[in-house]
Amino acid sequence: MPLWLELVIRVGGVLVAFLTLPLLVGQAEHKVMAHMQGRLGPMYAGGFHGWAQLVADGVKFVQKEDITPREADRTVFRLAPAVALVPYLLVLLVIPLGPDDLVGQPLDIGLFFVLAVMGVGVVAVLMSAWASANKYSLLGGLRGAAQLLGYELPLVLAAASVAMAAGTLSLSGIVEAWQPWWLLWQAPAMVVFFLAGLAEIRRPPFDMPVADSELVFGYMTEYTGLRFAFFLLAEYVGIVVIAALTTVLFLGGWQGPFADAQLGWLWTLLKVFAVSFLIIWIRVSYPRLREDQLQRLCWLVLVPVSLAQLVLTAAVRVAL
């Protein structure tokens, strides 16, 4: 197969995943939340169980007027949604779906690339907050910056623990080195990574930057139409990315109870959707953390636990 054709197929597959998986997660969130909270919600769009409601919402956003505040920095204001969305697309390029290079672009330093690119998210938050010329947006942006910069540390430390255990920064290499007993050995790192990941994508209960009861809608307050939809899409893509990284780093990726490697991609997707369901469940079950609670959890709980896990991993590696 020519190199250019292989590249087109790989990038095309990632684009399809980028456009479909977040929509599936968004639809699941609407229905799961409705059942957990005992409310029907919209049940008519598309017929069965309101399956087309998310499509209808997309059409609604397309039809809405795109408004830019008069006092806003127009260029920065309009670029911010793209800056929030594009990093997740780049991350999806290097996350392996299955064995035998079933990945958009295999990288020997895939984990380093993922962590570096995900850090761009704080730039989009600050861009949208500052450029909106709105005090609520600015407060939300400052909260978001403090949150993202704080939780970046436990996220990196937890990922470094499993990379040290596997002896590689390659995401595929980590999956190949993974053993079932890592579920116990690396469990603290997995919990830290998962919680820090929720904070990085600003999902409840870590949604202080968009606290609607205090800040209208935080750094997204002034956005309308498609630009607002891009921010929402970035949130759902973030769910997929965090679920996929948790799966690849801590849950064995494509490894399942059977030896058939041909179904590896199916095990990966099942685990990703299971972790995504957990993210939705947490949103429904826990109230929003206050700013002091959020920072205390980061610096007094997650950082010490991730450091202790890193020391444990280093000791086990030296002993083995």
Side-chain angles (χ1 to χ4, degrees), residues 204-228:
F206 303 98
D207 58 337
M208 283 295 291
V210 291
D212 50 352
S213 59
E214 305 167 25
L215 303 179
V216 187
F217 214 58
Y219 61 91
M220 292 186 283
T221 298
E222 296 291 350
Y223 284 90
T224 60
L226 275 179
R227 299 186 196 281
F228 181 75

Side-chain angles (χ1 to χ4, degrees), residues 161-162 165 178-192 249-252 305 308-309 312-313 316:
S161 174
V162 72
W178 183 88
Q179 299 294 330
W181 65 279
W182 285 20
L183 290 173
L184 296 177
W185 178 37
Q186 295 293 325
M190 178 174 63
V191 173
V192 170
L249 295 177
F250 299 100
L251 300 179
V305 170
Q309 177 66 49
L312 173 63
T313 302
V316 172

Side-chain angles (χ1 to χ4, degrees), residues 2-315:
L3 179 61
W4 66 268
L5 181 58
E6 180 181 354
L7 182 62
V8 168
I9 292 175
R10 288 178 181 270
V11 174
V14 172
L15 282 175
V16 170
F18 178 76
L19 296 174
T20 57
L21 292 180
L23 295 181
L24 294 176
V25 171
Q27 178 72 4
E29 179 175 59
H30 290 167
K31 297 305 177 182
V32 168
M33 288 178 61
H35 284 291
M36 285 184 172
Q37 296 174 343
R39 55 187 175 83
L40 289 178
M43 299 290 287
Y44 298 100
F48 177 72
H49 218 262
W51 66 268
Q53 183 59 43
L54 203 63
V55 178
D57 289 340
V59 174
K60 174 189 70 176
F61 279 122
V62 171
Q63 294 176 339
K64 283 188 173 182
E65 183 180 2
D66 182 17
I67 299 174
T68 302
R70 182 174 54 190
E71 301 298 327
D73 186 327
R74 292 177 176 272
T75 302
V76 178
F77 182 86
R78 292 171 178 173
L79 280 177
V83 176
L85 194 57
V86 170
Y88 291 125
L89 173 60
L90 298 178
V91 169
L92 287 176
L93 280 171
V94 300
I95 296 179
L97 183 61
D100 302 323
D101 283 339
L102 191 56
V103 57
Q105 179 59 52
L107 289 179
D108 292 335
I109 55 170
L111 181 58
F112 177 82
F113 175 82
V114 164
L115 296 176
V117 171
M118 286 183 63
V120 178
V122 66
V123 178
V125 173
L126 290 175
M127 286 174 63
S128 59
W130 185 262
S132 294
N134 180 299
K135 61 183 179 181
Y136 297 109
S137 298
L138 182 58
L139 286 173
L142 294 177
R143 285 183 179 184
Q147 176 174 316
L148 297 178
L149 292 174
Y151 279 85
E152 191 79 19
L153 180 58
L155 184 80
V156 172
L157 291 175
S161 174
V162 72
M164 183 184 298
T168 179
L169 287 174
S170 168
L171 295 177
S172 297
I174 291 174
V175 177
E176 292 169 356
W178 183 88
Q179 299 294 330
W181 65 279
W182 285 20
L183 290 173
L184 296 177
W185 178 37
Q186 295 293 325
M190 178 174 63
V191 173
V192 170
F193 184 89
F194 179 74
L195 293 178
L198 287 184
E200 286 289 308
I201 59 176
R202 301 167 294 284
R203 288 283 298 183
F206 303 98
D207 58 337
M208 283 295 291
V210 291
D212 50 352
S213 59
E214 305 167 25
L215 303 179
V216 187
F217 214 58
Y219 61 91
M220 292 186 283
T221 298
E222 296 291 350
Y223 284 90
T224 60
L226 275 179
R227 299 186 196 281
F228 181 75
F230 285 159
F231 271 118
L232 294 184
L233 179 60
E235 178 181 339
Y236 288 118
V237 179
I239 294 176
V240 174
V241 167
I242 293 300
L245 288 175
T246 304
T247 296
V248 168
L249 295 177
F250 299 100
L251 300 179
W254 61 77
Q255 298 193 40
F258 307 108
D260 188 4
Q262 299 300 321
L263 294 177
W265 60 271
L266 180 59
W267 290 117
T268 301
L269 289 179
L270 288 176
K271 294 174 185 178
V272 167
F273 281 114
V275 177
S276 299
F277 176 81
L278 179 60
I279 294 174
I280 296 169
W281 193 351
I282 290 175
R283 172 179 181 173
V284 179
S285 304
Y286 291 94
R288 179 184 300 124
L289 294 176
R290 298 195 314 264
E291 185 67 23
D292 61 315
Q293 294 172 329
L294 187 144
Q295 294 296 340
R296 188 179 298 114
L297 174 64
C298 175
W299 295 105
L300 299 183
V301 179
L302 298 188
V303 170
V305 170
S306 58
L307 286 172
Q309 177 66 49
L310 201 60
V311 172
L312 173 63
T313 302

